[in-house]
């Protein structure tokens, strides 16, 4: 797609132009897209101005001196409440009047596109169009009451006399009165008439009609400040604030339309998160429930510290609860519950362990208890015996400051030298060069691993105790019952454990400021205690880092919109010019978004920047890992995530991933796999993350960005042998900065062309002979394993008298159901062959839909492929009996020699074994009923590999037999009847898969046989009626094909022992089948060492093999620009939820090699994004 692809297609442009004016005005629809009667517009204007009219009545009475101000507010509010109720009752009446003939109206985001037919000014269709009504009766009453309160307080807020007292300016009073009432009318209309779709949308669905409360809520906030000013006496700050807010009140419609003010759900979650992190020293949480619970507990701790009478008690309380709340209490609680249940009922608790849940045992308990004890002892001793003199260069607190400065420098150096780039700019000379294999990397990184251990000890044990020493010696703790002390010190005593690195930086900054500023009359020293100083420094640090990150993001968009040719649109030059001219405004937008901790929203990812509304750090409302676009590729991520999580533990603890905070994003790359990691929360010795897996089937956009990611990682890790020391990062400015590589146990994917093997006449000539050998081995192994289920092998003679084969077959039928559910070689897979497949589409496409229907698991109907002129008469309900017509049909349909079918009605002659133990290895009777001529039996008897047959029997040990003769194996080898059974069984399978001719199979036939798409034949029809035998035959054929590939690659098989080793390896360490098989996914999750599949490309005429090998390999990890991700996700949310721009070829989803725009969209939570895998919250211990 070119760079000038439309931002919105014609249909969406028209839709957007209808929706946006409705959003600006709060709900009135004046642009419908079709012709509507004039009274539709007149009615909406009247309803829009109704609150102003009702408020104007009260205002007039107050100005004339008839009523006091509060009576005026009550009158206007009462009138509005009655009016709102009447309007809602009118809507209910209109709905009931037409309920029998009403076309079902689904409430969705596109409701404003429906076309109505209007009959009169107050007709039912008119009422329902203008006043859609509420979904719940309780909202009908509550919103009406709220509308009355809003109108009453709004009248009070905008009384002209009151405004004149604030500004002493008639012109200003008129402006505020007029435009203030416009703001209130917009809020009232969205509350009671028709709620407009907001540009600031957090939830995809408004289930409980919360959106209608958004605009009234912000109006109430402004009114609340005015009320506080009315009843507070001599408060200049409130007066100034009220004056400013009265002016901002006029711009509320603009703020709503631009989507700067958040919806209520996002507002409260964001507010709790900000207060928890910066006011109470906590961390953002991974779920809304955890956030609410932790916020309440933390706030309760801060409040409780206010009422503790002694300073020593306050310090011990803050230190103890700060440590306890910094732990992952929910995971510890789960682990404790799991441990208790495992002691009570160990058998039941095995299934409760999920994922990487923390194992909280005695070791962890003793460690935490020891750290807490030493922290309490240190804080109490220092506070009790220290001299609380003023801060000076020789005071004990100054000595602690020096130690903290040294610790900060050391830890900063130890963290940076473990990353591949210093500051993201220069190549780290200490980092291993040209890292490609695990063994080489681990050997070269031993020194850095020691550095990581030292840093971990300093971070976990040394730094927190040094900071507690600094805080315990502070004079501010002597001021008991001070709100500022309780808030500031409760926060920092917790932050010491919760976020040690940032707490260390904040304390060092404050201590340096104290060293430089000794003037006691300065505002910094006079008005602020240490706790509040640390709070202000913490907020300033966070906002400054956000400002820098957002500015980098904005500059990257500006530059790449011109330097990347594929991003250069016709409007690019104009947009860049405007950004340069109005650069101060751009900086203001960046600063405001940083102060609000809200994303910087690039509209359509163009250099047009808006301020997004504040939202939680994880950006999405739903629970973590709840949804993903699950497909066949999901299993590869499910398999690797546990190992990746273990590798992340070491990297995060050592610091090789840089400063990882909640909201940090990382991108991992290995072959065609891309893993997106989001840090959700962090505390003392733990980190909580979410890992997403992106699609493997690369589109052109996906491939372009993935190729750039590969270039960046290769430049950092693989092409460094001949580079200079401190060589620059050639991709500096990209949102991805390489960090390190991690050893992870996962599957490597190798795909090879087999054209020189599968179409080799020499290889195909030996295929049938090898198939016979493999099938003999598989049949003997099958019967031998089945013999272990018999209780007494001495019953062989009894079994002979009571038709042992039939009983044996009935047992096999009973066991066939679970076998078919676990095996992919089901009869249901036999269908017509189609060549319409991809190069690695390992199964005919026509079989993908119905091959695994649950209803087919219990029965295995015979599959007849229609032949022109034939009539299918066999009943699938009686699979073991044949009608006379079907016998005739089977005999003549392919012109085969006539076979005397009448003999099949007779009971087969009883097999007389020369060895009584041969019954244990006999095959079921029905497996030797194939309609093959006797000449073929004699031919197979000559081709039968008797030496191979004897060798396999000699490998059997029969250890499960309590009593067995010493010459058991010799007797089995000499039993000709047993050998004849296997000859018949092998011939039956060959007849089903290859037919009766002895020609060399063609490559196409081999491929069809491998995939289960064999063309119909009489032999196949018989074989598919024996499900277990068919499965064994198909499995044997796949093993044979893999053996052919191995012989062509590794050389011929030397002896029978080597052949058995091959087959046992296939059985134990390999899964050989199709990628589309359910068993393939199960094998990946079970971590089979190897997997093999066969594919075919009909267009190129080549056959391909795919081998997955489980091994420990290096996964490359890079850190993403957090604000670039949040900004693109904010635009995605606006574009899909508000503009409904879901075009798959839209501009904002096209490849952008610098911003990784397509990958970022994929990584968003569904339904806006489409990751194929998303993990639950993963707890990573860091000690």
């Amino acid at each position: 797609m070119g760079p000038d692809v439309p931002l919105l297609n014609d249909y969406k442009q028209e839709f957007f132009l209808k929706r946006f004016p409705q959003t600006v005005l709060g709900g009135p629809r004046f642009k419908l897209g079709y012709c509507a009667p004039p009274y539709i517009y007149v009615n909406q204007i009247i309803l829009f101005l109704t609150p102003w009219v009702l408020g104007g009545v009260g205002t007039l009475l107050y100005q004339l001196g008839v009523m006091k101000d509060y009576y005026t507010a009550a009158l206007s509010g009462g009138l509005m409440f009655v009016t709102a109720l009447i309007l809602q009752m009118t809507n209910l009446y209109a709905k009931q009047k037409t309920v029998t003939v009403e076309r079902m109206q689904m409430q969705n985001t596109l409701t404003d596109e429906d076309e109505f037919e209007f009959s009169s000014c107050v007709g039912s269709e008119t009422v329902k169009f203008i006043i859609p009504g509420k979904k719940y009766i309780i909202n009908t009453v509550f919103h009406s009451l709220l509308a009355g309160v809003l109108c009453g307080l709004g009248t009070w807020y905008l009384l002209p006399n009151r405004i004149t007292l604030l500004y002493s300016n008639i012109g200003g009073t008129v402006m505020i009165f007029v435009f203030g009432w416009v703001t209130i009318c917009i809020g009232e209309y969205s509350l009671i008439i028709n709620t407009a779709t907001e540009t600031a949308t957090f939830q995809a669905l408004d289930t409980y009609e919360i959106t209608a409360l958004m605009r009234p809520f912000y109006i109430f906030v402004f009114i609340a400040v005015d009320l506080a000013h009315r009843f507070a006496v001599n408060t200049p700050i409130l007066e100034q604030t009220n004056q400013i807010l009265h002016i901002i009140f006029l711009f509320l419609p603009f703020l709503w339309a631009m989507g700067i003010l958040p919806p209520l759900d996002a507002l409260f979650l964001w507010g709790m998160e900000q207060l928890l992190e910066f006011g109470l020293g906590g961390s953002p949480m991974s779920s809304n429930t955890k956030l609410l619970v932790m916020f309440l507990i933390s706030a309760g701790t801060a409040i409780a510290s206010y009422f503790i009478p002694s300073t020593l008690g306050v310090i011990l309380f803050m230190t103890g609860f700060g440590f306890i709340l910094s732990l992952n209490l929910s995971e510890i609680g789960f682990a404790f519950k799991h441990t208790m249940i495992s002691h009570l009922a160990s058998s039941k608790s095995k299934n409760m362990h999920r994922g990487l849940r923390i194992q909280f045992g005695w070791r962890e308990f003793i460690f935490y208890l020891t750290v807490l004890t030493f922290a309490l002892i240190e804080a109490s001793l220092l506070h009790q015996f220290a001299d609380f003199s003023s801060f000076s260069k020789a005071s004990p607190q100054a000595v602690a400051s020096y130690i903290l400065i040294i610790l900060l420098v050391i830890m900063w150096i130890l963290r940076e030298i473990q990353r591949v780039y210093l500051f993201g700019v220069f190549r780290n000379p200490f980092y291993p060069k040209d890292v490609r294999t695990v063994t080489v990397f681990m050997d070269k990184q031993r020194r850095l691993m020691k550095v990581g251990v030292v840093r971990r000890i300093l971070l976990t044990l040394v730094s927190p105790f040094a900071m507690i020493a600094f805080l315990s010696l502070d004079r501010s703790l002597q001021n008991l019952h001070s709100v500022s002390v309780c808030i500031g010190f409760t926060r920092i005593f917790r932050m010491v454990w919760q976020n040690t690195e940032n707490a260390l930086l904040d304390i060092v900054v404050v201590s340096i400021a104290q060293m430089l500023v000794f003037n006691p009359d300065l505002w910094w020293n006079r008005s602020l205690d240490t706790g509040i100083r640390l709070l202000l420094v913490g907020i300033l640090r966070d906002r400054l880092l956000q400002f820098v990150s957002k500015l980098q993001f904005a500059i990257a968009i500006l530059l790449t919109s011109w330097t990347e040719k594929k991003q250069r649109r016709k409007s690019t030059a104009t947009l860049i010019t405007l950004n340069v001219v109005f650069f101060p405004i751009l900086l203001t937008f960046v600063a405001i978004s940083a102060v609000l901790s809200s994303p910087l929203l690039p509209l359509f990812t163009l250099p047009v920047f808006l301020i997004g509304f504040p939202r939680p750090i994880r950006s999405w409302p739903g629970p973590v890992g709840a949804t993903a676009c699950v497909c066949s590729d999901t299993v590869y991520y499910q398999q690797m995530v546990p190992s990746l999580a273990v590798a992340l533990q070491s990297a995060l603890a050592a610091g090789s991933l840089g400063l990882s905070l909640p909201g940090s994003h990382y991108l991992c790359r290995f072959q065609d796999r891309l893993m997106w990691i989001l840090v959700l929360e962090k505390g003392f010795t733990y980190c909580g993350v979410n890992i997403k897996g992106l699609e493997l089937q690369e589109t052109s956009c996906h491939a372009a960005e993935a190729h750039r990611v590969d270039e960046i990682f290769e430049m950092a890790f693989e092409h460094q042998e001949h580079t200079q020391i401190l060589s620059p990062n050639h991709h500096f400015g990209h949102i991805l900065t390489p960090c390190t590589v991690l050893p992870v146990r996962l599957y490597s994917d190798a795909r090879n062309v087999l054209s020189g093997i599968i179409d080799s006449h020499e290889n195909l000539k030996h295929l049938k002979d090898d198939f016979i050998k493999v099938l003999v081995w598989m049949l003997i192994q099958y019967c031998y394993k089945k013999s272990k289920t018999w209780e007494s092998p001495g019953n062989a003679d009894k079994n002979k008298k009571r038709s042992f084969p039939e009983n044996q077959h009935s047992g096999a039928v009973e066991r066939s159901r679970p076998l078919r559910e676990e095996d992919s070689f089901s009869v249901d897979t036999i269908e017509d062959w189609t060549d319409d497949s991809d190069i690695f589409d390992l199964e005919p496409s026509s079989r993908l839909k119905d091959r695994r229907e649950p209803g087919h698991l219990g029965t295995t109907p015979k599959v007849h492929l229609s032949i022109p002129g034939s009539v299918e008469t066999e009943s699938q309900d009686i699979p073991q009996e044949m009608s006379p017509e079907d016998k005739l049909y089977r005999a003549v349909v392919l012109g085969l020699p006539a076979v005397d079918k009448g003999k099949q009605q007779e009971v087969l002659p009883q097999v007389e074994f020369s060895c009584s133990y041969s019954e244990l290895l006999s095959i079921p009777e029905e497996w030797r009923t194939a309609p093959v001529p006797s000449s073929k039996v004699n031919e197979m008897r000559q081709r039968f590999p008797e030496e191979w047959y004897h060798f396999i029997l000699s490998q059997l040990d029969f250890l499960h037999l309590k009593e067995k003769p010493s010459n058991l194996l010799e007797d089995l080898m000499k039993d000709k009847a047993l050998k004849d059974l296997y000859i018949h069984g092998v011939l039956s399978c060959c007849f089903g898969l290859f037919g009766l001719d002895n020609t060399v199979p063609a490559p196409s036939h081999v491929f069809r046989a491998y995939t289960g798409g064999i063309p119909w034949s009489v032999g196949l029809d018989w074989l598919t009626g024996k499900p277990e035998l068919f499965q064994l035959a198909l499995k044997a054929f796949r093993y044979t094909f893999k053996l052919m590939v191995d012989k062509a690659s590794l050389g011929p098989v030397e002896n029978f022992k080597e052949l058995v080793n091959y087959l046992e390896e296939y059985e134990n360490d390999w899964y050989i089948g199709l990628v589309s098989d359910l068993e393939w996914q199960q094998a990946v999750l079970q971590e089979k060492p190897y997997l093999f599949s066969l594919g075919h490309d009909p267009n190129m005429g080549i056959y391909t093999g795919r081998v997955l090998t489980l091994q420990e390999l290096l996964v490359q990890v890079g850190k993403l620009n957090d604000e670039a991700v949040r900004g693109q996700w904010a635009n995605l949310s606006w574009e899909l939820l508000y503009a409904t721009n879901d075009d798959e070829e839209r501009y904002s989803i096209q490849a952008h090699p610098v911003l990784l725009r397509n990958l970022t969209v994929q990584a968003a939570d569904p339904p806006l994004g489409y990751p194929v895998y998303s993990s639950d919250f993963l707890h990573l211990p860091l000690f």
Side-chain angles (χ1 to χ4, degrees), residues 960-1014:
H960 57 283
L961 299 181
K962 297 180 181 179
E963 298 179 2
K964 60 180 179 180
S966 58
N967 57 347
L968 172 60
L969 296 179
E970 296 179 3
D971 293 342
L972 291 175
M973 294 179 192
K974 295 177 181 179
D975 195 332
K976 294 183 178 181
L978 182 62
K979 186 176 75 171
D980 286 342
L981 286 182
Y982 282 95
I983 291 174
H984 277 277
V986 170
L987 178 59
S988 301
C989 296
C990 290
F991 176 48
L993 296 180
F994 298 107
L996 294 176
D997 57 346
N998 293 324
T999 59
V1000 176
S1004 60
H1005 183 88
V1006 172
F1007 178 71
R1008 293 178 179 184
Y1010 183 95
T1011 59
I1014 312 170

Side-chain angles (χ1 to χ4, degrees), residues 384-667:
Q384 191 71 22
F385 299 106
D387 179 22
F388 292 99
S389 59
S390 60
F391 188 89
S392 64
K393 293 183 179 180
S395 64
Q397 193 176 20
V399 174
S401 300
Y402 301 145
I403 296 174
L404 291 176
I405 294 172
I406 295 173
L407 278 174
L408 178 65
V409 174
I410 293 175
M411 288 178 56
W412 177 76
I413 294 174
L414 294 182
R415 184 184 71 202
E416 285 298 320
I417 65 174
Q418 293 185 80
R419 303 174 65 188
V420 66
Y421 286 117
L422 299 175
F423 314 108
V425 181
F426 300 105
R427 183 60 160 72
N428 181 6
F430 300 99
Y431 197 86
K433 293 184 178 181
D434 199 22
V435 179
R436 304 194 185 192
T437 62
V438 176
T439 53
V440 174
F441 173 74
M442 298 303 291
D443 183 61
K444 291 183 177 181
Q445 208 195 19
R446 287 177 181 173
R447 289 179 300 174
L448 292 183
M449 292 175 65
K450 295 177 182 178
V451 169
V453 171
V454 173
R455 182 183 178 279
R456 187 185 309 182
I457 294 173
L458 293 177
L459 179 66
T460 307
L461 297 176
V462 179
S463 297
F465 287 99
M467 287 186 282
I468 288 177
F470 175 88
L471 296 173
S472 300
L473 295 170
D474 194 83
R475 293 183 61 192
S476 302
L477 288 172
Q478 301 298 318
N479 300 324
L480 282 181
H481 307 299
S482 169
V483 175
S484 62
V485 169
C486 291
I487 293 176
F489 278 91
T490 300
R491 170 188 174 274
I492 193 60
F493 268 107
R494 178 175 177 181
M495 193 175 173
V496 162
W497 308 101
Q498 188 91 47
N499 194 343
T500 306
E501 291 183 80
N502 282 343
L504 181 60
L505 176 61
D506 294 348
I507 292 177
V508 166
V509 170
V510 170
S511 61
I512 291 176
Q514 283 182 314
M515 294 176 186
L516 298 177
V517 182
F518 287 107
N519 186 0
D521 297 327
L522 199 64
W523 168 80
W524 176 264
N525 288 330
R526 185 183 72 255
S527 303
L528 302 177
D529 59 68
T530 304
I532 298 301
R533 293 174 198 159
L534 289 170
L535 188 149
L536 294 177
V537 168
I539 295 176
L540 184 62
R541 166 189 46 79
D542 178 79
R543 294 324 194 236
L544 185 60
L545 291 176
Q546 284 196 40
F547 177 82
V548 173
S549 185
K550 292 177 196 293
L551 189 59
Q552 288 178 344
F553 174 48
I555 293 175
I557 291 181
L558 276 172
L559 295 179
T560 56
S561 64
W562 183 262
T563 57
E564 295 286 335
K565 292 183 179 180
K566 292 186 177 180
Q567 309 300 324
R568 196 180 299 170
R569 299 172 60 88
K570 294 178 181 178
S571 59
T572 299
T574 304
L575 292 176
I576 292 177
T577 303
L578 291 174
N579 277 277
V580 172
V581 172
F582 296 102
F583 190 71
I585 296 178
L586 173 60
L587 286 179
T588 303
F589 279 18
V590 174
I592 293 174
S593 63
V595 169
L596 295 176
S597 188
S598 62
L600 182 67
L601 192 154
L603 198 62
F604 298 106
T605 64
L606 292 172
V608 179
F609 299 101
L610 301 175
I611 302 171
F613 66 86
R615 64 199 79 191
I617 200 71
R618 62 181 187 274
S619 295
W620 306 113
V624 174
T627 55
C629 302
V630 178
C631 65
S632 58
D633 296 333
T634 303
V635 293
Y636 302 112
Y637 292 109
Q638 290 177 326
Q639 178 274 325
M640 70 176 295
V641 159
S643 178
L644 176 61
V646 172
L648 284 173
Q649 291 179 14
S650 302
L652 289 169
S656 56
L657 296 183
L659 182 61
S660 58
L661 300 172
S664 298
H665 294 263
Y666 296 91
L667 186 67

Side-chain angles (χ1 to χ4, degrees), residues 1054-1127:
E1054 299 292 339
N1055 48 50
F1056 290 157
K1057 183 66 175 176
E1058 185 178 353
L1059 180 56
V1060 169
N1061 291 339
Y1062 267 113
L1063 297 178
E1064 288 180 348
E1065 183 183 356
Y1066 295 159
E1067 186 72 20
N1068 298 326
D1069 298 337
W1070 286 78
Y1071 176 78
I1072 302 173
L1074 302 173
V1075 173
S1076 56
D1077 289 340
L1078 176 63
E1079 289 73 20
W1080 179 281
Q1081 300 181 15
Q1082 293 174 349
V1084 171
L1085 295 178
Q1086 294 167 3
E1087 295 196 337
K1088 277 275 188 180
Y1090 308 97
L1091 292 89
F1092 175 84
S1093 65
L1094 178 64
H1096 177 241
D1097 181 13
N1099 297 322
M1100 300 179 63
I1102 60 174
Y1103 296 92
T1104 56
R1106 182 180 182 185
V1107 178
L1108 299 186
T1109 305
L1110 183 65
Q1111 52 189 323
E1112 192 172 47
L1113 296 167
L1114 295 178
V1115 173
Q1116 299 155 333
V1117 185
K1119 195 174 191 301
L1120 295 161
N1121 184 320
D1122 307 334
E1123 295 304 323
V1125 175
R1126 294 182 67 202

Side-chain angles (χ1 to χ4, degrees), residues 806-919:
E806 278 106 358
N807 293 333
Q808 189 182 45
H809 167 61
S810 65
V813 171
E814 292 177 1
R815 290 188 299 274
S816 66
R817 182 187 302 257
L819 181 61
R820 284 195 300 273
E821 291 176 358
E822 296 174 0
D823 208 315
S824 66
F825 315 126
S826 172
V827 181
D828 298 320
T829 64
I830 304 299
E831 293 186 7
D832 290 325
W833 168 251
T834 62
D835 285 334
D836 186 16
S837 60
D838 191 12
I839 183 171
F840 290 107
D841 186 7
L842 305 184
E843 187 174 350
S845 58
S846 62
R847 298 186 283 104
L848 295 177
K849 297 179 180 179
D850 304 321
R851 63 183 303 271
R852 282 287 172 189
E853 294 184 9
H856 291 173
L857 294 177
T859 61
T860 55
K862 299 181 180 180
V863 179
H864 300 281
L865 304 183
S866 300
I867 295 178
S870 66
V871 179
E872 301 183 21
T873 58
E874 182 176 355
S875 172
Q876 294 184 359
D877 296 330
I878 313 176
Q880 297 183 5
E881 296 182 3
M882 299 181 185
S883 62
E885 295 85 357
D886 191 49
K887 296 175 188 176
L888 177 62
Y889 158 71
R890 285 174 174 248
V892 303
V893 67
L894 292 181
L896 294 174
V899 180
D900 188 358
K901 297 285 187 175
K903 292 183 179 180
Q904 293 190 7
Q905 297 294 333
E906 301 174 2
V907 179
L908 290 177
Q910 188 67 44
V911 178
E912 297 292 339
F913 295 112
S914 61
C915 175
S916 60
Y917 286 87
S918 296
E919 293 284 359

Side-chain angles (χ1 to χ4, degrees), residues 107-391:
Q107 295 291 331
N108 55 45
T109 57
L110 302 181
T111 303
D112 46 3
E113 291 184 301
D114 297 335
E115 185 170 343
F116 288 77
E117 295 181 1
F118 305 105
S119 57
S120 65
C121 180
V122 291
S124 59
E125 286 294 332
T126 303
V127 172
K128 287 187 296 181
F129 172 78
I130 297 177
I131 312 172
K134 306 295 180 181
K135 289 189 289 187
Y136 306 104
I137 297 297
I138 188 173
N139 282 343
T140 300
V141 178
F142 176 65
H143 290 185
S144 299
L145 179 62
L146 202 62
V149 175
L150 179 62
C151 185
L153 292 178
T155 302
W156 205 4
Y157 185 71
L158 295 175
L159 289 174
N161 285 355
R162 177 67 178 171
I163 301 174
T164 304
L165 288 176
L166 283 175
Y167 298 100
S168 301
N169 188 302
I170 300 299
T173 300
V174 173
M175 292 285 292
I176 292 176
F177 179 79
V178 173
F179 289 101
W181 268 109
V182 171
T183 301
I184 291 178
C185 289
I186 290 174
E188 291 279 12
Y189 199 98
S190 66
L191 176 64
I192 203 65
I193 308 297
N194 182 26
T195 303
T197 303
E198 299 288 352
T199 51
T201 303
F202 189 55
Q203 301 273 1
L205 297 175
D206 184 22
T207 307
Y208 301 106
E209 299 177 309
I210 299 176
T211 305
L213 304 176
M214 172 185 163
R215 300 192 183 198
F217 172 81
Y218 287 106
I219 294 176
F220 279 128
V221 170
F222 283 76
I223 294 174
V225 175
D226 182 69
L227 292 176
H229 178 221
R230 284 175 184 269
F231 296 106
V233 181
N234 297 327
T235 50
I237 296 178
L238 267 180
E239 182 177 358
Q240 294 173 3
T241 304
N242 197 16
Q243 290 174 345
I244 296 172
L245 290 183
H246 266 77
I247 297 174
I248 298 177
F249 188 78
L250 310 183
F251 294 93
L252 275 180
F254 173 78
L255 298 178
W256 289 326
M258 291 296 101
I260 298 175
L261 298 178
L264 298 186
D265 47 359
L267 174 66
F268 285 109
L269 292 175
W270 169 82
M272 282 194 296
E273 192 174 83
Q274 294 294 307
L275 286 174
L276 178 62
E277 183 175 3
F278 298 104
L280 300 170
S283 165
M285 294 286 114
S286 59
S287 68
N288 298 339
T289 304
K290 288 179 66 175
L291 177 63
L292 177 61
V293 172
M294 184 57 71
F295 174 77
L296 294 177
I297 294 175
S298 303
T301 303
I303 294 171
S305 64
Y306 180 82
F307 297 98
I308 297 177
S310 68
T311 56
L312 180 61
V314 168
I315 288 180
L316 293 178
F317 181 81
M318 290 178 176
T319 304
F321 270 90
F323 175 81
I324 293 172
L325 293 178
S326 68
L327 304 176
N328 193 347
L329 299 179
S330 61
E331 293 294 321
I332 293 176
F334 174 86
F336 179 76
K337 177 182 176 182
H338 173 70
T339 304
M340 296 300 296
I341 294 178
S342 63
H343 285 301
L344 297 176
S346 58
S347 61
K348 295 182 181 180
S349 64
K350 292 179 180 178
N351 295 328
M352 290 189 58
H353 181 74
R354 66 173 177 87
L356 292 166
R357 301 304 292 253
I358 180 175
Q359 291 300 297
F360 189 77
W362 285 107
R363 184 176 69 90
E364 290 80 8
F365 177 77
I366 292 174
F367 171 75
Y368 288 141
L369 184 61
T370 304
V371 172
L372 176 61
T373 303
F374 277 102
L376 294 175
I377 292 174
E378 179 197 19
S380 59
L381 290 178
L382 287 176
H383 182 77
Q384 191 71 22
F385 299 106
D387 179 22
F388 292 99
S389 59
S390 60
F391 188 89

